[in-house]
Amino acid sequence: MRIISLIIITMFCIGKMVAQTGKEVVVKAGTIVLLQSVNQVKAADVEEGQMVDFKVVQDVMVDEICVIPSGTLVKGKVTEAKKSSLVGTKGRLSINISYLNLPSGTPIYFSNTDVRIKGKNKTPLAVVTGLIIWPCLFIPGTKAVMPAGYEVQATIAANATINVK
């Protein structure tokens, strides 16, 4: 049912774009775009530099014209991926939301939009209990995991002119 709704909304959005022929529309810098992660991402399973997918959750409208349809894929780049380790050290995951490509091929870049997820630090627990029972030093911190569907607000970096045909 949800997929059918997305298809109908996207078709409506594309229909509005087709109806407005030969018009240039400017998506302004600072425009907020609502995103969701497509897949679960674990810090232990990714490497720095790896790309991660997000999708646009809600159509972005300018002058009643849909300029970025919901469902558009957005690319994010892993900038930090540290898995949890012994002595209670927590996992860390950082992803920079980078850009999206419109169906026309026009790229739109995002600024200062980072996702930072940290596990819980268990170092004090591991050290204190390790003084009494030495194997407790092997207690790891919790993992850094971004679940599928994790919501993010991304900010468009610069004005983007889109030719609506």
Side-chain angles (χ1 to χ4, degrees), residues 45-130:
D45 296 341
V46 294
E47 296 180 10
E48 291 180 15
Q50 185 173 334
M51 299 305 281
V52 176
D53 289 335
F54 292 82
K55 67 180 175 181
V56 175
V57 176
Q58 186 176 27
D59 292 338
V60 176
M61 308 292 284
V62 174
D63 297 332
E64 296 185 21
I65 299 170
C66 179
V67 291
I68 304 174
S70 65
T72 302
L73 282 182
V74 176
K75 295 294 184 178
K77 186 176 189 178
V78 176
T79 56
E80 180 181 29
K82 305 274 185 199
K83 62 182 182 177
S84 59
S85 60
L86 301 180
V87 193
T89 306
K90 62 187 170 186
R92 293 189 309 262
L93 176 66
S94 294
I95 301 169
N96 177 266
I97 307 297
S98 304
Y99 66 94
L100 66 80
N101 284 320
L102 293 173
S104 65
T106 304
I108 294 184
Y109 297 95
F110 297 98
S111 67
N112 301 326
T113 305
D114 292 321
V115 176
R116 297 183 191 277
I117 297 175
K118 297 178 182 179
K120 293 183 181 174
N121 190 358
K122 293 186 179 178
T123 301
L125 173 67
V127 171
V128 170
T129 55

